[in-house]
Amino acid sequence: MNRRTMIESPKGGVSIKGLRPTNMIVTIDGPAGSGKTTVAHSLARHLGLDSLDTGAMYRSVALLTIEAGVSPEDHESVVALACDHRIDFDWDVTPPRILLDGRDVDDRLRQSDVSEIVSRIAGIPMLRDAMVEAQRAIAARHPRLVTEGRDQGSVVFPDAEVRFYLDADSGVRAKRRAGEMRDRGEDCDVEKIRRAIEARDRSDRGRKDAPLTIPVGAIRIDTGEMSIEEVVNLLIRHVEAWCDSKPGSES
Ligand code: DC
């Protein structure tokens, strides 16, 4: 009997249920604007896995920092804030929404004051250690997980079953970011965004702690010319191929 059950996805694609092992971590790494978050949520929905947006965890700490009036350079106070507050996800909704001490801050986290300081927050080594630990604890509770963030396959889950690295030219990524900002009713200048993205890429690739890198064994996909749906379908095919390659899989 074929253990694979094809199910209709909400977007009309198909996904597999039943064939995957109980534990299955899929990681999606890549630079800002490569489409990681949207793709991760959609892939998870299609495959019936949970999804984790790790950038939202760093953004929550950035929000705490803003609300407490603490400087992002005051590393000790930032880490203390992160330890003193509870960062959770509401897993009952899809995609999961982030809760700060029970307060739904998901929309607030995308605003520009948070975006402006979050990369400095994410560069604090002690905070990264705490986040890595928290992410592994989440994976222990949600062992069928698509997790995205720039260090998920390279640092946090180097043994993940399937590892992806999404990439795109900085001009394409800037246009995507601008589109998101316009959708939120914010003003934007694409060229300025492109320069900021390139500066962030340089600092992310050069940073000492968890630099942005292509994880060993990752499948690299240039999403520049692809729609989100095409990227998701391609990733589904790779995950299916991995499932089929496992001993005991049936076709
Ligand atoms: O993906 P994003 O824009 O929401 O991420 C917010 C910030 O956190 C961004 O500066 C990248 C950083 N980040 C990180 O350093 N490691 C992660 N696993 C996720 C995000």
Side-chain angles (χ1 to χ4, degrees), residues 2-251:
N2 189 345
R3 280 187 291 127
R4 177 184 295 182
T5 313
M6 305 296 277
I7 57 164
E8 284 296 320
S9 82
K11 280 196 158 179
V14 283
S15 71
I16 47 176
K17 269 209 181 240
L19 181 65
R20 285 178 304 283
T22 329
N23 287 5
M24 174 160 195
I25 305 286
V26 176
T27 57
I28 304 180
D29 294 29
S34 56
K36 297 187 299 289
T37 311
T38 315
V39 167
H41 289 328
S42 182
L43 180 69
R45 198 176 65 243
H46 280 76
L47 296 178
L49 306 179
D50 290 324
S51 71
L52 176 63
D53 168 3
T54 60
M57 298 170 75
Y58 290 99
R59 285 175 181 272
S60 297
V61 180
L63 179 59
L64 284 172
T65 306
I66 292 167
E67 289 180 344
V70 163
S71 160
E73 313 314 325
D74 180 354
H75 292 188
E76 248 175 57
S77 301
V78 173
V79 173
L81 274 174
C83 293
D84 288 348
H85 294 268
R86 216 179 63 244
I87 300 171
D88 286 322
F89 287 88
D90 179 357
W91 296 95
D92 290 336
V93 292
T94 309
R97 291 181 70 84
I98 196 152
L99 305 174
L100 198 47
D101 297 321
R103 171 170 58 118
D104 185 332
V105 290
D106 216 276
D107 297 329
R108 175 71 182 88
L109 297 185
R110 310 288 147 196
Q111 289 175 6
S112 55
D113 56 343
V114 173
S115 299
E116 267 162 34
I117 66 158
V118 67
S119 78
R120 280 186 282 160
I121 298 290
I124 301 174
M126 240 175 26
L127 180 70
R128 296 202 71 83
D129 290 345
M131 288 297 175
V132 168
E133 206 177 298
Q135 288 152 15
R136 288 182 179 147
I138 289 172
R141 290 194 304 274
H142 299 266
R144 292 159 58 80
L145 189 69
V146 178
T147 177
E148 66 86 6
R150 59 198 57 200
D151 60 350
Q152 295 301 285
S154 57
V155 173
V156 187
F157 303 106
D159 297 325
E161 278 71 20
V162 188
R163 277 153 278 159
F164 293 108
Y165 184 87
L166 300 190
D167 211 347
D169 173 78
S170 58
V172 171
R173 290 186 279 139
K175 278 194 201 136
R176 286 182 188 156
R177 269 283 138 93
E180 286 163 14
M181 288 173 76
R182 286 196 200 103
D183 286 349
R184 291 196 298 264
E186 295 171 28
D187 282 339
C188 61
D189 171 342
V190 181
E191 190 47 32
K192 212 167 134 188
I193 298 173
R194 188 182 61 79
R195 284 197 300 273
I197 281 181
E198 287 176 358
R200 215 159 97 178
D201 283 355
R202 278 194 297 278
S203 100
D204 284 345
R205 291 199 169 98
R207 89 178 170 210
K208 247 174 46 211
D209 202 6
L212 176 64
T213 174
I214 304 178
V216 175
I219 300 159
R220 181 179 175 277
I221 292 163
D222 188 333
T223 67
E225 301 290 316
M226 300 170 78
S227 68
I228 292 292
E229 203 168 15
E230 285 168 336
V231 177
V232 173
N233 284 334
L234 180 59
L235 266 52
I236 288 172
R237 287 204 296 278
H238 279 292
V239 175
E240 284 179 348
W242 180 85
C243 290
D244 287 343
S245 73
K246 293 305 291 169
S249 66
E250 298 165 39
S251 56

